[in-house]
Amino acid sequence: MSVDPVLVEIVQGYLASVEKEVETAIGRTARSPMIRDAHDYRAGIHDRRLRKLTGRSYSALVHPVVRDYPIETMRPGDVFFHNDVYLSEGGIGHLPDLCVTAPVFVDDAAGEPEVVAFVQAFGHHDDIGGTVPGSMPSNATSVFEEGLMVPPIKLWDAGVPNEAALKIMTRNSRMPESLAADLDAECAACLMGARRLAELFQRYGRADVEACFDAILDRTTETFRREVLAKIPPGTYVWEDYAEHDGVDEPKLHTQRITLIRETAPDRLVLDFTGTGPQARGPINHCGDYADGVFLKKWLAPILRNLADSPERMAELDVNEGVVPLIEMRFPPPGTLLTPVFPAPTNARTFVILRLLGVLAGVVAKAVDGYMPADQETIRYTGVYGQDQDGRPYLMREVLGGGSGGRYYADGEDTIHVVPDSRNLPTEFSEARFPFLVERLGLAVDSGGPGRFRGGLGYEKHVRMVRDGHFMSIADRSILSCWGVRGGRAGRPFAVTIDPGGPAEREVDALADAEPVRAGEVIRIRTTGGGGWGDPLDRPVEDVLRDLRWRKVSFGGARADYGVVATGTADDPVVDESATTTLRDSMRAARTGDEPFFDRGPGYARLSGGPAAAEVDWL
């Protein structure tokens, strides 16, 4: 049927508003720091055909709920719950991500309620059991060590909560009160969102609203085909990147490879993951090969927006179900990092699923002569736990961001968070609730990868413990850096030091469950810097001086990374123009002329057995 374009705009705006309202309601009523303060949660709106309609955020999938509970059996007031990675159709990556789904009902011609859409929310919760606080054991070899697995169940039945299921879940959590409160917040918010959506159908009629849904998705398909896919020349391109360790075996290169095939008949992209490394013994696996990779398609597609005509246009492009017809995914047989076999552990699957964002950016960069951003930060969880001054157990976890990659038109952004809208915990809140002091929170100087356009900087955070406790970390990029491209250099890696400069100074592995920290000791956390874009010797001297004034680059970094010789103070640096010209000329002369297109930093040689670059790193 034909559809009124004005109504399409109204419906699209209404959907985005409802999604935002659901997320706002969760943030205001949840109790755990991870949900309420760090905002590590998402909402999504899906139609009756299970298609993701909104593009402001990302979400899990409705597919597993409908698989186990046919739409015809659902009733108003139902809310479904699941967190089982292997029964989520690829929409859930690890057990702390708890997902609730509420169907939306509108009366049919006979006056009977019928499902017309779904509102869904999922978030990273404090604890769902398992062998360590936080349900993310870094040395897990089985998903059974990671917490309570719940396949799709009916958590609310026609408006009545399933108290027995809630008792089982809270009994398995070390933080039962916050778990119960967070789940209540998410269920109530989704039911509220379902009421809001029902009002949309009642106002404009089911046929017109569903026609608008089709138009919204069709517009996304055509926009991406015309403005994004058209920028990629036909051909076949190959690139790979790596996770550096799995928490069980010694550090090594865990390969994630994409062969990108740009086809014109049909007009689409093929992403072939053949060549991805074998399933890891530790918890870095990700279950991507479900539901034809629908979740992974929507997860990776935002990277393609970088091909838009301008940054402003890129920000306007939504990623919803409309991107799905444009991408075909080809997975290797079971038993790889992307096709793990149950019960392989998955709690640190971010090492794979977030690395794939960079792999896709890299393989597209090969196709478009590097006109894609350099590598960005990837998520890491750090935190401390123990007993507070009153002897009560506490758990503080934080998702600290890092730098994004330099771009062909601008430097990378500092301390971004790859999870949309997430953030670090406020210092005032942390110090009031937990037995430690935050003595410093700022930028990690020199962490951004050198380039004509510098990579963004990571955090440097100093936490002084007031009581004995334990430090935990689920992080990578502590050996391998965020790569630079087209002459840009890699950023600085992640690092944690306890008692820096003190008698007990020690480096902590990026995967740590229970590193003891004494009262009075400082934990220094430095997160990753983004990769640089373009030759750092082409960076204008005035930009380097500005970085010195802004304390983003040190005097030593200016000299070693950019060939800029400066004296004076950080507030008033003075460049030695003659010495700078001489140094830059000598640095250029020292090059062989056969440098790779990508720079992975010094950590790659450590894990590769000698080579500083992979075979795929040249054009």
Side-chain angles (χ1 to χ4, degrees), residues 4 14 42 58 75 161 215 247 275 319 322 343 414 427 521 531 558 587:
D4 181 354
Y14 193 101
R42 288 294 157 264
Y58 66 87
R75 298 186 296 172
V319 174
D414 303 323
T427 295
E521 290 185 330
M587 293 171 73

Side-chain angles (χ1 to χ4, degrees), residues 528-571:
T528 54
W533 193 96
D535 189 346
L537 300 183
D538 291 337
R539 187 170 178 83
V541 171
E542 54 268 28
D543 288 0
V544 179
L545 291 179
R546 181 196 62 194
D547 287 341
L548 286 169
R549 287 192 293 269
W550 287 356
R551 275 71 167 178
K552 293 189 176 185
V553 172
S554 68
F555 281 86
R559 184 185 186 102
D561 295 334
Y562 295 98
V564 173
V565 180
T567 58
T569 66
D571 289 327

Side-chain angles (χ1 to χ4, degrees), residues 38 59 100 102 113 188 198 214 324 333 362 450 464 476 522:
S59 62
V100 297
D214 291 338
V324 170
R464 186 178 297 276
D476 66 346
V522 169

Side-chain angles (χ1 to χ4, degrees), residues 118-189:
F118 297 90
V119 178
Q120 189 175 73
F122 85 101
H124 187 123
H125 291 247
D126 274 343
D127 189 277
I128 193 67
T131 59
V132 300
S135 310
M136 296 182 67
S138 64
N139 60 356
T141 58
S142 165
V143 71
F144 293 108
E145 301 170 58
E146 299 177 319
L148 181 69
M149 290 181 285
V150 183
I153 63 170
K154 190 178 289 188
L155 191 59
W156 288 38
D157 188 351
V160 179
N162 185 336
E163 297 292 347
L166 288 168
K167 285 181 180 179
I168 292 171
M169 285 190 282
T170 54
R171 180 59 174 169
N172 277 273
S173 175
R174 296 171 179 84
M175 304 288 166
E177 293 85 3
S178 63
L179 175 61
D182 289 351
L183 279 175
D184 189 54
E186 289 161 351
C187 291

Side-chain angles (χ1 to χ4, degrees), residues 503-539:
E505 179 175 344
R506 59 200 183 275
E507 299 295 317
V508 178
D509 192 85
L511 279 170
D513 291 332
E515 178 68 26
V517 189
R518 297 295 185 187
E521 290 185 330
V522 169
I523 304 168
R524 184 181 68 196
I525 304 166
R526 289 175 175 163
T527 65
T528 54
W533 193 96
D535 189 346
L537 300 183
D538 291 337
R539 187 170 178 83

Side-chain angles (χ1 to χ4, degrees), residues 82-242:
H82 70 283
N83 78 325
D84 190 316
V85 172
Y86 287 91
L87 294 178
S88 72
E89 297 296 321
I92 296 293
H94 60 178
L95 297 181
D97 283 348
L98 310 184
C99 183
V100 297
T101 307
V104 180
F105 289 87
V106 172
D107 288 346
D108 63 14
E112 295 296 324
E114 186 175 14
V115 174
V116 292
F118 297 90
V119 178
Q120 189 175 73
F122 85 101
H124 187 123
H125 291 247
D126 274 343
D127 189 277
I128 193 67
T131 59
V132 300
S135 310
M136 296 182 67
S138 64
N139 60 356
T141 58
S142 165
V143 71
F144 293 108
E145 301 170 58
E146 299 177 319
L148 181 69
M149 290 181 285
V150 183
I153 63 170
K154 190 178 289 188
L155 191 59
W156 288 38
D157 188 351
V160 179
N162 185 336
E163 297 292 347
L166 288 168
K167 285 181 180 179
I168 292 171
M169 285 190 282
T170 54
R171 180 59 174 169
N172 277 273
S173 175
R174 296 171 179 84
M175 304 288 166
E177 293 85 3
S178 63
L179 175 61
D182 289 351
L183 279 175
D184 189 54
E186 289 161 351
C187 291
C190 284
L191 288 170
M192 177 271 294
R195 292 193 298 271
R196 294 284 188 271
L197 275 184
E199 292 168 3
L200 176 69
F201 282 88
Q202 292 160 1
R203 182 178 306 170
Y204 296 109
R206 178 174 174 179
D208 284 341
V209 171
E210 290 185 337
C212 289
F213 291 170
D214 291 338
I216 290 168
L217 302 186
D218 289 345
R219 182 164 59 186
T220 296
T221 303
E222 291 309 311
T223 299
F224 268 76
R225 178 179 284 122
R226 181 179 64 253
E227 299 186 29
V228 175
L229 265 63
K231 304 288 182 61
I232 303 176
T236 300
Y237 312 91
V238 182
W239 202 63
E240 64 188 35
D241 204 359
Y242 316 93

Side-chain angles (χ1 to χ4, degrees), residues 12 23 68 497 613:
Q12 187 167 25
E23 291 188 354
D68 293 355
T497 306

